[in-house]
Amino acid sequence: MILVLPCIENFTKLDLRTVSLDIPPQEILTKDSVTVSVDAVVYYRVSNPRMCVANVENAQKASNSLAQTTLRNVLGTKELSQILSERESIANTMQEALDAVTGAWGIKVERVEVKDVRLPLQLQRAMATEAEATREARAQVLAAQGESDAARALKEAGDVISESPSALQLRYLQTLTSMASEQNSTIIFPFPMDMVAGMAGNRK
């Protein structure tokens, strides 16, 4: 039972459970001059009720204003690529910055999460076009590399076959077999050039 003297004492009730504080979307200009809209959520709890009542007028309102300012200040020093890829690092930086200030208010910031990063529509289209061009360039490089590997393999196979005339004749027969299996009406038989040269020499 708590007795409160009217007109002399004041009673304030505090919730000591963890509270989630939604930071509304903030329009932020990044370090590389790109405007993005970012929202986040802060999880905090009252760690010292006396300090929370005595040191700040409205702890929740003050924490909300501080969180919005901290979000803009932290992201203003980052480039767009860093904001998209380093969310965990940004959240840790915000948590440390908030906790350093709210500690004097009797508030403990437990966690900060960056919820969403919204890009302008024109920037989304430009990034999609750039990504598509990058994929096409990579595909062309891979295709050229494949052709180079195939040409190198054919050259090595030709060197091996040229060292053994019998291997060349076997290759001719394999080619004829594969052509005959396709039921073609016309078959071109490759005639060895060394035999042609030999026959020409005999005639002379």
Side-chain angles (χ1 to χ4, degrees):
M1 184 176 180
I2 300 176
L3 296 179
V4 179
L5 299 178
C7 302
I8 298 178
E9 296 180 337
N10 185 23
F11 176 78
T12 302
K13 182 179 179 181
L14 295 176
D15 190 352
L16 301 182
R17 297 176 298 179
T18 300
V19 180
S20 63
L21 177 64
D22 290 327
I23 303 177
Q26 303 293 311
E27 295 290 337
I28 300 171
L29 183 64
T30 62
K31 188 177 180 180
D32 50 351
S33 301
V34 178
T35 302
V36 295
S37 178
V38 183
D39 57 351
V41 59
V42 178
Y43 298 93
Y44 72 93
R45 61 180 174 83
V46 177
S47 59
N48 192 321
R50 291 185 179 181
M51 295 175 63
C52 186
V53 174
N55 294 351
V56 63
E57 180 180 1
N58 189 326
Q60 184 174 3
K61 183 178 179 180
S63 299
N64 191 4
S65 300
L66 179 63
Q68 295 181 27
T69 304
T70 304
L71 179 63
R72 289 193 295 268
N73 291 340
V74 171
L75 296 185
T77 62
K78 303 290 185 179
E79 296 183 356
L80 178 60
S81 59
Q82 295 175 322
I83 295 177
L84 296 176
S85 61
E86 301 177 3
R87 292 193 180 188
E88 185 175 355
S89 175
I90 293 173
N92 293 334
T93 303
M94 286 188 58
Q95 180 180 352
E96 294 174 358
L98 289 172
D99 207 22
V101 178
T102 58
W105 301 343
I107 294 178
K108 172 64 178 177
V109 178
E110 296 182 340
R111 188 177 182 85
V112 178
E113 291 289 344
V114 178
K115 295 172 59 178
D116 192 15
V117 179
R118 298 182 181 90
L119 304 177
L121 184 59
Q122 294 180 352
L123 181 58
Q124 294 180 20
R125 293 175 178 173
M127 292 178 66
T129 303
E130 181 181 0
E132 184 178 358
T134 302
R135 288 193 297 269
E136 291 180 356
R138 188 180 297 112
Q140 292 178 359
V141 171
L142 292 176
Q145 184 66 32
E147 292 180 358
S148 176
D149 294 341
R152 190 178 297 108
L154 288 174
K155 180 180 180 300
E156 294 176 357
D159 294 339
V160 173
I161 293 176
S162 63
E163 295 176 358
S164 176
S166 59
L168 182 59
Q169 297 298 330
L170 290 175
R171 183 57 182 166
Y172 287 158
L173 294 176
Q174 290 178 355
T175 304
L176 289 174
T177 303
S178 61
M179 294 175 63
S181 64
E182 297 177 359
Q183 298 180 357
N184 294 327
S185 58
T186 303
I187 297 179
I188 301 175
F189 182 76
F191 197 76
M193 296 302 297
D194 53 353
M195 295 180 63
V196 175
M199 294 172 61
N202 293 332
R203 290 181 179 179
K204 292 180 180 180

